[in-house]
Amino acid sequence: MSPELLAAGVALGAVMLYAMFGGADFGGGVWSLLASGPRKDEQRLALERAIGPVWETNHVWLILLVVTLFTVFPAAYAVIFEALYLPLFIALLGIVARGAAFAFRHYGRRDSRLAAQSLRWFSWASLATPFFFGTVIGAVTAGHLEVEGTRVLSGPFEGWLRPFALMCGLIGMLICAFLAAAYMVPRTEGALREDFRRRAIGASLALGAATTLAIPVAAADAGRFAERLDDVRAVGAMALTAVLGLTGLWALWARRYRLAPLLAGATVAGVVATWGLAQHPYLLADALTYEEAAAARATVSAFLVALPIGALILVPSLLLLYLTFSREKLRGEETAH
Amino acid sequence: MGWDTLLSARALMGLSLVFHMFFTPLGIGLPLLLFIVEGLGLKTGDPRYRELARSWTPIVGLLFAVGAVSGTVLSFELGLLWPRFMAYAGGIIGMPFSLEGFAFFTEAIFLALYIYGWNRLSPLAHWLTTIPLVVSSAMSAVFVISANAWMNTPDGFRVVNGEVVDVDPWDAMFNAAWLHQAVHGTLASYVVTGFTVGAVYAWLIWRKVPAVNPKLGLQVAMAMAAVSIPLQIVAGDFAARRVAELQPVKFAAMEGQYGTERGAPLRIGGIPMDGETRFAIEIPRLLSYLGYRDFDAEVLGLNDVPEDERPNELLTHLSFQVMVGGGFALLFLAGWYWVASWRRRREAWLPGRALTWALVAGGFVSFAALQTGWFVTEFGRQPWVVYGYLRTSEGVTEQDGILGFFILFTALYVVISIALVTALLRWPHNGPKREPAARPAGSEVPGVA
Ligand code: HDD
Ligand code: HEM
Ligand code: HEM
């Protein structure tokens, strides 16, 4: 395995982890927006308390993805960001609005106008951001972007407003909603838990339907990608993902509260992995392979040396963080942190 | 000159960086302050220290959160606005950025443990979480500044027929400007934190706003300020000598030096325009000494630099004057505070009216020095984005509509700033007045304390 391929694997891993952790945070915003029923406020508060301690950390997976891209695949970073600057700028606005709004609500006074206003910004931005990230993933995959070397030839509206990209946007939103609801199940109790369980089941069904529908859409709009889905490894990954998804649905249904979120996370990882396998060897479909986009060997190697050293510090710290905060039950009531 | 893409992109990048720079110095300095305060609490057993640290917790959380999103903006904008620059430089200076990513991660994790750990960790464990915070925040500054230093003194690669070859990411990282920028740029955070926290307490005390142990807070903050400001000035002198050597054109612009001459005078103030620095106080031969430690050394003047390789000397010189002036004003202020408090060593001493206002102003001055210092570095490097290799105009995106995003982001930053100021002004009334009775340490989460 070449260092470049290994580095591409690292980038894919970062996408996966961002989807699994950051995605759940966005989903928290989505369910804040869609909070309903008699326990509306409890739902929101429980979501907020779940996100509070971890959202910074979850957000850093995105940073890690971006820095990996520009260290190891600078050409791809430049081309993708230049070609898809509109959806990326919009997603960025969403990230800023959302992060700031969450902070104001969480650390500020709750009864203030600022807090109410913040909640609105937070929820809408949580819905929009994964959608636009999804369209970027779709556009990178569908192969409609034209480049020459590292110069972008296609216009600002090309690529990301097509059926497959929009479909990916939808899948992005559903992934977030599904994960957030599934992760909340073991961390709540009683009626509140039932609320999230029902939401998780609904989102899981919708996500299953959307990913299935994405295949014919890809065949029509993203031909090469659809072809590569026929690859044995991609088919294997797809089958495994489907099994994981269905088992997850069962676990929710059968009230296996501890199992359900693990399977939910694994399902999403499977969706991303399938996408990654079908994308191979391209970073930008039909235009730029990971080998063409890679930086000098010295840089790639240095990056791969730094990675495990960094992980040595990170992994135990992350475990410490999640163990410290994931064990307590979240109730929809106020406590000072 | 119309608002073309280059100008819009520079304006948006500059705006985003300035916004980021309001949060990061506190993100680097506050952990050190918390480390000191909680450490003193453990050592002396005086509960007031712990209360003090605790009262800062929501502020730290809020500033860090906004700082992190503002940083995300930057990492996106490097690609959105400067794709040509990144395609050129990403593989060479990506290394410090990647390492910075790890530092951020560590910082975010331990910050969460710090903020949410008040009831869950023992006092000792809680204090220990500040150590990785201090280290990782300083490291993140050092790493990202190394990337900026590389833009000033590119190293670790060669260009053959327009192709970048022989990349050595470690040489690139430890480039010639790295040391002075890392030292001076990181110390600046401690300067700003000391004076800003001091300003907040001086104001709270003067207005008699109920707050947690404000006098103690003022003392600790001013101790940090008083230690860091002289060091910062020494580091600044070192930086100036390095710039004189490595980027003589930037040096000439900083000093408003037009003619190349031996025994050049130091100009204090003044307006460099149209080939002449007017209204400056000139101290004969001092500039040659400060730049090269020789009263007769030759200093390059802008007139000997081709027109299209000169930075904007007006902006660079004025920014430099504000930073240096600010630095000496802060030194004076720290001295004033400690002399005044030492002369009246009574329990009840509080800063008088004049000193209070000076302390409040000190907070603003420290930020002004930090921001203008960056202006010196960034404006002084123009018209290059990679000094001597890539012009800023060659690094910019070819897409349209950047002006629209500049306007959108400006609006968003205005909204966030208003919200932030609103939230911060409420803080003293909002924060916990007293620490709630401590629960037995680690009782909730076995194995963590
Ligand atoms: C609290 C903030 C602060 C204060 C009081 C000072 N500086 Fe500064 N200075 C900065 C904060 C700063 C900075 C953080 O903004 C910069 C930008 C780039 C860097 O590494 O540090 C900087 C850059 C910078 C540079 C340009 C370095 C380069 O481009 O490579 C020089 C020559 C000086 N400083 C010199 C001084 C001197 C002689 C000072 C004496 C009073 C001084 N600074 C006080
Ligand atoms: C942290 C404080 C910094 C501030 C306040 C700052 C400020 C600015 C400003 C004002 C500009 C516009 C320049 C002009 O219009 O002449 C600019 C440009 C730029 N800065 Fe910085 N900068 C900072 C640090 C950095 C760092 C650490 C990097 C690291 C890579 C960087 C990269 C750039 C780039 C790529 C541009 C665009 C090209 C240019 O105009 O030079 N800056 N910055
Ligand atoms: C020399 C100038 C800079 C310094 C000293 C600095 C320092 C910091 C610090 C201390 C933080 C932690 C957040 C906080 O405490 O508020 C931070 C966040 C961040 N900075 Fe900067 N930064 C600088 C310039 C830049 C530039 C040019 C970039 C663009 C690539 C950048 C990218 C980021 C990112 C992505 C984050 C968010 C990390 C997170 O999620 O925790 N920074 N920066």
Side-chain angles (χ1 to χ4, degrees):
Chain A
M1 198 189 274
S2 68
E4 286 77 19
L5 183 58
L6 210 58
V10 173
L12 183 65
V15 178
M16 220 181 252
L17 287 161
Y18 185 50
M20 285 162 66
F21 292 98
D25 282 5
F26 284 110
V30 174
W31 293 122
S32 282
L33 186 68
L34 300 179
S36 61
R39 284 170 301 278
K40 204 166 160 170
D41 291 334
E42 279 103 322
Q43 288 168 8
R44 287 192 177 136
L45 214 55
L47 284 163
E48 185 189 322
R49 295 196 58 215
I51 297 174
V54 292
W55 83 270
E56 291 268 356
T57 311
N58 293 343
H59 179 74
V60 186
W61 291 115
L62 174 66
I63 313 293
L64 216 59
L65 171 64
V66 173
V67 298
T68 304
L69 269 185
F70 69 59
T71 307
V72 200
F73 303 111
Y77 172 74
V79 168
I80 293 172
F81 272 64
E82 184 160 10
L84 296 169
Y85 76 110
L86 283 181
L88 282 168
F89 252 129
I90 299 170
L92 186 59
L93 281 167
I95 286 184
V96 178
R98 177 181 183 279
F102 182 77
F104 290 135
R105 184 168 160 73
H106 193 62
Y107 294 105
R109 208 162 45 183
R110 206 152 290 269
D111 48 7
S112 61
R113 276 223 343 257
L114 183 63
Q117 201 69 33
S118 296
L119 180 66
R120 215 159 307 138
W121 283 69
F122 170 67
S123 308
W124 281 106
S126 296
L127 193 64
T129 310
F131 174 78
F132 285 101
F133 275 138
T135 63
V136 170
I137 295 272
V140 163
T141 303
H144 298 295
L145 294 170
E146 265 183 79
V147 303
E148 191 188 286
T150 58
R151 291 218 119 66
V152 175
L153 304 178
S154 35
F157 297 100
E158 267 166 65
W160 60 284
L161 287 172
R162 303 179 60 103
F164 182 69
L166 295 175
M167 193 74 209
C168 288
L170 181 68
I171 292 175
M173 288 194 304
L174 289 173
I175 283 180
C176 298
F178 171 51
L179 287 178
Y183 289 177
M184 286 306 282
V185 166
R187 307 201 49 198
T188 46
E189 282 170 332
L192 198 56
R193 173 182 271 177
E194 276 305 302
D195 287 348
F196 285 114
R197 180 176 155 263
R198 259 181 281 121
R199 283 166 171 72
I201 292 177
S204 151
L205 291 171
L207 181 60
T211 40
T212 312
L213 193 65
I215 297 173
V217 175
D221 186 45
R224 283 291 197 85
F225 179 72
E227 267 169 43
R228 282 192 297 269
L229 279 179
D230 288 345
D231 181 80
V232 209
R233 279 174 303 174
V235 172
M238 248 189 303
L240 188 63
T241 308
V243 172
L244 285 169
L246 289 172
T247 323
L249 190 59
W250 164 81
L252 284 167
W253 193 260
R255 299 200 158 77
R256 299 293 170 102
Y257 296 131
R258 298 238 149 251
L259 197 58
L262 296 180
L263 287 166
T267 308
V268 169
V271 173
V272 177
T274 310
W275 167 77
L277 282 174
Q279 183 80 345
H280 181 90
Y282 287 107
L283 289 181
L284 182 60
D286 294 342
L288 207 58
T289 66
Y290 66 85
E291 268 163 358
E292 290 163 356
R297 195 39 91 73
T299 303
V300 180
S301 307
F303 175 79
L304 291 174
V305 169
L307 196 67
I309 300 173
L312 219 57
I313 303 173
L314 275 190
V315 174
S317 313
L318 271 175
L319 284 177
L320 180 63
L321 178 71
Y322 287 125
L323 284 181
T324 309
F325 294 113
S326 69
R327 295 210 192 151
E328 34 202 277
K329 288 277 184 259
L330 301 168
R331 294 187 195 82
E333 50 193 63
E334 210 64 66
T335 49
H337 44 253
Chain B
M1 190 165 28
W3 274 88
D4 57 2
T5 299
L6 178 60
L7 213 54
S8 308
R10 287 172 66 182
L12 180 49
M13 190 77 201
L15 177 75
S16 306
L17 278 155
V18 167
F19 190 70
H20 191 53
M21 280 301 121
F22 277 105
F23 305 98
T24 55
L26 298 170
I28 295 164
L30 281 176
L32 183 62
L33 206 60
L34 295 173
F35 167 81
I36 294 172
V37 168
E38 279 202 49
L40 285 173
L42 281 176
K43 186 148 182 278
T44 61
D46 185 340
R48 291 180 309 153
Y49 286 107
R50 215 166 124 83
E51 291 164 12
L52 193 62
R54 182 153 198 167
S55 73
W56 275 94
T57 300
I59 299 287
V60 175
L62 185 61
L63 291 175
F64 188 84
V66 184
V69 286
S70 71
T72 312
V73 172
L74 292 175
S75 64
F76 271 58
E77 281 180 353
L78 285 178
L80 292 170
L81 303 175
W82 311 102
R84 319 266 122 245
F85 162 65
M86 286 313 286
Y88 188 93
I92 312 172
I93 50 149
M95 213 53 221
F97 278 119
S98 307
L99 297 176
E100 196 202 11
F102 285 114
F104 284 148
F105 228 129
T106 318
E107 201 177 346
I109 292 169
F110 283 95
L111 196 78
L113 284 166
Y114 184 85
I115 292 178
Y116 296 89
W118 278 105
N119 296 328
R120 296 178 175 92
L121 302 175
S122 70
L124 179 65
H126 198 258
W127 175 65
L128 288 177
T129 61
T130 61
I131 294 175
L133 272 180
V134 172
V135 175
S136 62
S137 61
M139 293 294 276
S140 61
V142 169
F143 287 138
V144 77
I145 289 175
S146 142
N148 184 266
W150 180 86
M151 295 161 70
N152 285 322
T153 54
D155 198 355
F157 67 106
R158 286 189 311 129
V159 177
V160 178
N161 301 330
E163 292 278 317
V164 173
V165 295
D166 287 348
V167 173
D168 184 333
W170 304 110
D171 276 355
M173 199 168 137
F174 299 108
N175 57 72
W178 170 72
L179 185 63
H180 77 259
Q181 280 201 247
V183 172
H184 190 64
T186 309
L187 268 176
S189 302
Y190 302 126
V191 173
V192 166
T193 305
F195 283 102
T196 308
V197 174
V200 170
Y201 280 119
W203 187 71
L204 292 178
I205 292 170
W206 183 253
R207 301 295 306 266
K208 301 198 170 59
V209 180
V212 181
N213 307 330
K215 194 175 163 205
L216 194 64
L218 179 62
Q219 271 175 344
V220 178
M222 288 313 290
M224 185 160 162
V227 172
S228 55
I229 186 67
L231 295 177
Q232 176 70 345
I233 290 177
V234 173
D237 169 56
F238 171 50
R241 269 184 294 147
R242 294 295 284 165
V243 172
E245 181 189 332
L246 299 165
Q247 292 178 295
V249 183
K250 182 191 268 184
F251 191 68
M254 271 159 46
E255 306 291 356
Q257 180 79 26
Y258 282 101
T260 302
E261 59 182 318
R262 294 192 164 277
L266 180 73
R267 295 180 188 78
I268 299 176
I271 298 181
M273 235 185 332
D274 305 325
E276 191 190 353
T277 300
R278 294 215 235 150
F279 314 119
I281 303 168
E282 297 199 1
I283 303 177
R285 296 171 60 197
L286 191 57
L287 183 60
S288 286
Y289 179 76
L290 285 177
Y292 303 94
R293 287 300 182 268
D294 169 5
F295 284 105
D296 294 314
E298 186 176 271
V299 177
L300 176 79
L302 287 172
N303 290 338
D304 288 328
V305 180
E307 194 85 53
D308 68 344
E309 286 179 22
R310 290 187 208 166
N312 182 324
E313 66 271 25
L314 181 64
L315 287 171
T316 314
H317 179 71
L318 291 186
S319 303
F320 188 62
Q321 300 302 305
V322 173
M323 167 174 58
V324 177
F328 283 104
L330 293 176
L331 183 69
F332 172 76
L333 177 60
W336 182 6
Y337 174 85
W338 284 109
V339 169
S341 83
W342 180 78
R343 292 208 352 226
R344 281 164 240 159
R345 265 163 298 174
R346 283 178 285 115
E347 264 298 300
W349 178 78
L350 291 173
R353 169 189 284 270
L355 181 54
T356 295
W357 285 110
L359 286 169
V360 171
F364 290 96
V365 171
S366 68
F367 266 109
L370 179 104
Q371 300 282 12
T372 50
W374 280 106
F375 288 176
V376 173
T377 303
E378 297 291 318
F379 287 133
R381 190 187 61 235
Q382 300 301 322
W384 302 100
V385 64
V386 181
Y387 192 68
Y389 287 90
L390 192 74
R391 281 174 185 267
T392 309
S393 55
E394 296 166 321
V396 75
T397 178
E398 285 166 14
Q399 301 282 23
D400 299 323
I402 302 301
L403 180 59
F405 285 106
F406 172 65
I407 294 168
L408 270 176
F409 271 91
T410 308
L412 191 60
Y413 287 148
V414 169
V415 171
I416 292 177
S417 306
I418 292 171
L420 193 69
V421 171
T422 317
L424 292 181
L425 285 179
R426 288 219 192 91
W427 163 66
H429 315 281
N430 223 358
K433 297 285 180 294
R434 286 267 143 211
E435 182 166 354
R439 296 191 218 170
S443 61
E444 289 167 50
V445 191
V448 168

